Amino acid sequence: MPSIALVTLVVHDYDEAIAFYTDSLGFELVEDTDRGGGVRWVVVRPPGAGGVGGIGNAGLLLARARNEAESAAVGNQSGGRVAFFLHTDDFARDHARMSEAGVKFLEEPRHEAYGSVAVFEDLYGNRWDLLQSAA
C-alpha cells in the first residue's frame, strides 16, 4: 500500500525552521541538500519515523517561501485549524520536554476518551496536536 512520505510546510527561513523542528520538537534532520539558486531540499521527521529502509512514514519538507503569496501562507496553511498531529507514546514526557524547549502550548493538557492532547504552535503559528492515544 502506498504511504504519504512528505508533507510540504512553507517556511520563512530554512535554518530557523530546522532549528525549531530539531531542537524544540526533537525531530531528526533527514536531508539538507542545496539545489542551487538559494533553494534547498530540507526534510525533517520525528525520530524513528523512517519506516522500512528509511521510507514510509511522513516527514516534513521545509520549503522556503519564494514569493508574496507563499509568504502570506506561512503560519496559516490550514486557515487556523490544527493541521498536524504529533503522536507520542509518553505525553507527559514530551509535553514537559517541549515546554522546557520553549514550545508555545495554547492550552493545558486535556485527557479525553480518545487520549491525552494539547494544542501547540510551531515557530510560525501553525497549529499542532501533541497526542497520546488512549488505546
Side-chain angles (χ1 to χ4, degrees), residues 8 50 93 102 133:
T8 299
R93 174 199 66 210
S133 176

Side-chain angles (χ1 to χ4, degrees), residues 21-107:
Y21 286 101
T22 60
D23 297 342
S24 298
L25 297 190
F27 284 20
E28 298 172 335
L29 177 61
V30 176
E31 184 173 355
D32 184 355
T33 303
D34 187 340
R35 295 279 174 112
V39 176
R40 291 158 57 184
W41 183 265
V42 178
V43 177
V44 297
R45 70 173 161 230
V52 177
I55 300 172
N57 292 321
L60 295 176
L61 173 63
L62 304 178
R64 190 185 62 185
R66 297 175 298 181
N67 56 48
E68 194 173 307
E70 290 179 9
S71 290
V74 172
N76 193 28
Q77 295 177 133
S78 65
R81 295 186 61 132
V82 171
F84 306 98
F85 300 82
L86 184 59
H87 284 233
T88 178
D89 62 354
D90 188 333
F91 181 88
R93 174 199 66 210
D94 290 334
H95 184 269
R97 183 190 55 74
M98 291 166 62
S99 294
E100 289 173 15
V103 173
K104 179 182 175 185
F105 281 89
L106 302 178
E107 63 183 10

